[in-house]
Amino acid sequence: MPVDKQVLLRYQVLNKCFRNRYREYTIDDLVNECNKALRRMDKPDVSKRTIQNDINILEADYGIMLDEKLKQGKKRLYRYVDTNYSIQLFRINDEERHKLHDAIRVLDNFEGDPMYDWARTLLMQIEGGLFTDESTPVVSFQSNPDLKGIDLFGQLLQAIIKKRVLKISYAPFGKDSYCERIYPYHLKQFNDRWYLIAQAVGYDSLGHYALDRIEGFEEISMPYKESDVDFEEYFDDVVGVTVPEHLEPVDVVMRVSNNRFNYIKTKPLHLSQRVISEDKNHTTMSINVKITKELIALILSFGPDIEVVSPASLRAEITKSIRALNYLYHIDEENLHS
């Protein structure tokens, strides 16, 4: 029987609690842990009876073995007999396994095409999580199952594919929420967040909407406006998702410590990255991009290991940001010692 997202989340929480050898959980503790996870997804709380039923299903259908001897007075405590055990929530039969293998082999033919990178990543997770006979997964991926807004991804993807006009309720950081009619075109991930690239009705330029800031949306009945943007090239001149259409890309020249450049060399800041010169301690490199807030944040993240040489306007902006950060740090230090 298919398991919906809320039930799956409860099973994951219970599994984690049962494996914890350093804490003892009563049934009330388990209910509390499950409800905390559900609230992070803006889902309603469940009752003790629901969690007891979940435990019964896990014992009957998934074969978990709980230590029956653990007690806290008259209260039962819940923990696996073997805390190294972990349930496999996604179980497939041999036929399904072979079909997935075939799908992977087909997509392998597209290796190197950025259009299929997302599919390859997904299939890597399937291989790491499903194609092993071990009870513990052998591959871990960075993910946040509680990320707000990620549950909208599938619906937004369908709206793009089916060319539907949407009315969204959007809450920018630190500002009041507002409603806007949009033509949705593209979904892009950057810095562990997903963004919807769309054009607001009545505007010519594109905007980006963070999924975790979309409070809700609905389809509305009006003609869909096609985009003439080639999204395979649209982000070529920027770092991130902001594409200032009024700006032209410029050469950003940076002086990087060689210790840090060894990392940057294997994970370039941008596809245009090239080396200008090298000495004993530093490498001078450049990228050709539009100046955006995402670029400034990326450069600042490297601390003193990167110095912007040119353009002068960007160097001044980086200097201003560093001074502001130092000022805030100084204020925090004074408050700490006051």
Side-chain angles (χ1 to χ4, degrees), residues 8 13 17 28 33 62 74 80 97 104 106 108 131 136 152 169 185 214 239 265 291-292 332:
L8 180 60
V13 172
C17 291
D28 293 325
E33 291 296 320
Y62 291 84
K74 294 184 178 180
Y80 286 139
R97 193 179 295 255
I104 290 171
V106 170
D108 277 340
F131 299 147
T136 302
L152 302 177
S169 176
Y185 295 133
I214 298 177
V239 171
K265 182 166 57 177
I291 307 300
T292 63
D332 286 343

Side-chain angles (χ1 to χ4, degrees), residues 11 14 18 54-64 87 89:
Y11 289 178
L14 291 173
F18 295 159
D54 286 344
I55 295 171
N56 291 337
I57 292 173
L58 290 174
E59 288 179 318
D61 293 352
Y62 291 84
I64 69 169
I87 54 175
L89 294 174

